[in-house]
Amino acid sequence: MRNETVEVEWPTLLLLAGTYVAWGLATSVLWAALPPLGLLLAAVAIAQHSSLQHEALHGHPTKNATLNHLLVFPAIGLFYPYLRFRDTHLQHHYDPALTDPYDDPESNFLDPEVWNKLTPRYQALLRFNNTLAGRMLVGPAIGLVSFIRGDIAQIKAGNERIALSWALHGIGVMLALWWILGVGSMPVWAWVLSAYLGASLLKIRTYLEHRAHEKFRARTVVIEDKGPLAYLFLNNNYHVVHHMHPNVPWYKLPEMYAAKREHYQRRNDGYVFKSYSEVFSKYFLKAKDPVPHPVWPVNKSDAEPDDLPEETVVVSVGPAAPEAAAPVADIAAEATPKADAPEAVVLEGEVLDAVVVEALEEAEPPAKGRKGRKSPN
């Protein structure tokens, strides 16, 4: 069981407090004095809050999961239930399924057969959505419509957890509305707009976090950026480090990457950008990827069974989850958990946070041939 004692990661807690203060000022004093600046600060605070929700679902800033969830519960970002974000994101952390449009809730690829059945107009829209400009302009709307339609279908089919997620989200929205209507000066329409702008900022982070590749270890990016966007995204630009060590807090990721830079770049097969400026210059008006998955079907093993060393540990995570194997030597060298660490399993030579395993065990993978559960991202 996870240790429920409260040990506070102060950088995260202080940043969370500052984020709430910034949003409160943006929607009240700043909006009354200078509306465009209030709108912009509210959008930045909402994006920062989403990054902090990401920290919370990975077990930060305390070891008490309930407290972590409560700290990020107010729905200042409006659109997405935190519990749905948690469930879909932790399912996304099953690395062998990365980019699979059915089994990875955060994939932006489509099954080629599904793509071929779309109308030319919708295909054109999705092609535009695969540019960075498109992802920022229409991406939040496309994602929200797809996400809500999928959840409505799941609720109608009797999925009680998704229904609970939206019911709790309603309470979180009411908390934010209480501030907007009772204390703040920002009108509701401007709050909605700021939430959309915040989601648009987040699309910069998620735009190329993962790529299609035969080897799942090579699907996750590193962007060697140390500017304001890296801070806004809480260093998730070191994304391969985060996926390999999901229980490490955001402020330790740059140091971990710097200490083993060559190792991580070997791990992800050189999927590296120098900065977000490079990403903008290359892909703002040009699609990085096609919409139909270019490596189909998605390979969910980095090695064929006959190629594995004799001594392996095979781990199956969640119902009907693909199996992954890692050499015992890699486990000893790369993934030995500390004595006081939460329960964990070894997956592809790394430690997979116990909370990820818990979410995967709860999740029911969608059957092939129907649309997978989508993530807010």
Side-chain angles (χ1 to χ4, degrees):
M1 297 294 292
R2 294 174 70 84
N3 185 355
E4 294 296 312
T5 60
V6 179
E7 295 180 13
V8 178
E9 295 169 357
W10 287 107
T12 305
L13 190 62
L14 292 173
L15 182 59
L16 179 62
T19 300
Y20 282 127
V21 170
W23 183 78
L25 290 174
T27 55
S28 57
V29 176
L30 199 54
W31 174 264
L34 195 60
L37 191 56
L39 187 71
L40 178 61
L41 181 59
V44 171
I46 286 168
Q48 188 82 85
H49 186 259
S50 179
S51 296
L52 287 159
Q53 286 185 320
H54 174 258
E55 287 292 297
L57 66 84
H58 279 295
H60 310 285
T62 78
K63 291 188 177 181
N64 186 306
T66 301
L67 177 57
N68 294 337
H69 301 333
L70 289 173
L71 287 170
V72 297
F73 181 71
I76 67 173
L78 182 60
F79 296 131
Y80 300 111
Y82 168 71
L83 185 58
R84 291 292 289 127
F85 179 24
R86 175 187 181 274
D87 288 353
T88 57
H89 183 73
L90 293 180
Q91 184 179 348
H92 159 79
H93 264 267
Y94 186 66
D95 279 14
L98 284 174
T99 74
D100 188 299
Y102 296 107
D103 296 332
D104 177 6
E106 297 186 10
S107 175
N108 284 289
F109 292 105
L110 290 181
D111 180 333
E113 185 176 345
V114 173
W115 168 258
N116 290 333
K117 294 177 180 179
L118 299 179
T119 64
R121 182 176 298 181
Y122 193 43
Q123 286 184 345
L125 176 64
L126 293 181
R127 285 194 186 98
F128 176 59
N129 185 53
N130 265 22
T131 67
L132 181 54
R135 194 65 59 86
M136 295 177 68
L137 288 172
V138 302
I142 292 174
L144 183 62
V145 170
S146 175
F147 179 68
I148 290 178
R149 288 178 62 184
D151 273 15
I152 289 174
Q154 290 283 342
I155 291 171
K156 287 182 177 179
N159 192 313
E160 295 180 358
R161 184 170 179 84
I162 293 180
L164 173 64
S165 300
W166 282 98
L168 292 173
H169 182 60
I171 299 173
V173 169
M174 293 303 294
L175 289 174
L177 266 178
W178 168 82
W179 175 270
I180 292 290
L181 298 177
V183 180
S185 58
M186 178 180 280
V188 172
W189 68 263
W191 174 39
V192 175
L193 178 58
S194 70
Y196 193 93
L197 292 175
S200 179
L201 288 172
L202 289 169
K203 291 297 183 183
I204 300 171
R205 174 178 67 81
T206 61
Y207 176 68
L208 47 58
E209 281 183 336
H210 300 285
R211 65 174 173 176
H213 197 283
E214 284 288 348
K215 295 182 177 181
F216 65 77
R217 65 173 177 79
R219 294 175 192 161
T220 305
V221 78
V222 165
I223 303 174
E224 297 179 317
D225 195 291
K226 297 180 181 179
L229 285 177
Y231 186 77
L232 183 66
F233 304 146
L234 297 186
N235 295 323
N236 255 279
N237 45 303
Y238 300 104
H239 208 54
V240 71
V241 186
H242 168 63
H243 266 255
M244 292 172 71
H245 311 281
N247 57 342
V248 171
W250 63 275
Y251 50 87
K252 294 184 178 179
L253 295 177
E255 180 182 355
M256 290 186 69
Y257 176 71
K260 299 175 67 176
R261 184 171 179 267
E262 292 183 359
H263 164 70
Y264 290 117
Q265 292 193 14
R266 248 189 343 262
R267 172 80 180 192
N268 76 351
D269 203 19
Y271 186 32
V272 179
F273 294 86
K274 292 299 181 184
S275 66
Y276 281 107
S277 296
E278 181 185 358
V279 176
F280 269 87
S281 66
K282 287 185 174 180
Y283 300 117
F284 189 67
L285 296 176
K286 176 184 176 182
K288 175 184 173 292
D289 299 305
V291 182
H293 202 294
V295 186
W296 188 256
V298 173
N299 181 27
K300 294 179 181 166
S301 174
D302 274 0
E304 296 299 324
D306 292 341
D307 297 332
L308 293 172
E310 291 184 3
E311 291 185 299
T312 61
V313 175
V314 178
V315 182
S316 180
V317 184
E323 291 185 340
V328 173
D330 284 352
I331 295 170
E334 295 284 334
T336 303
K338 297 179 180 178
D340 59 348
E343 292 178 357
V345 300
V346 175
L347 176 65
E348 187 57 21
E350 299 297 338
V351 173
L352 187 65
D353 196 342
V355 79
V356 177
V357 179
E358 176 188 344
L360 287 166
E361 289 174 342
E362 292 174 357
E364 179 185 352
K368 296 294 182 183
R370 66 179 176 88
K371 194 172 184 180
R373 299 177 188 174
K374 302 307 290 182
S375 162
N377 288 324

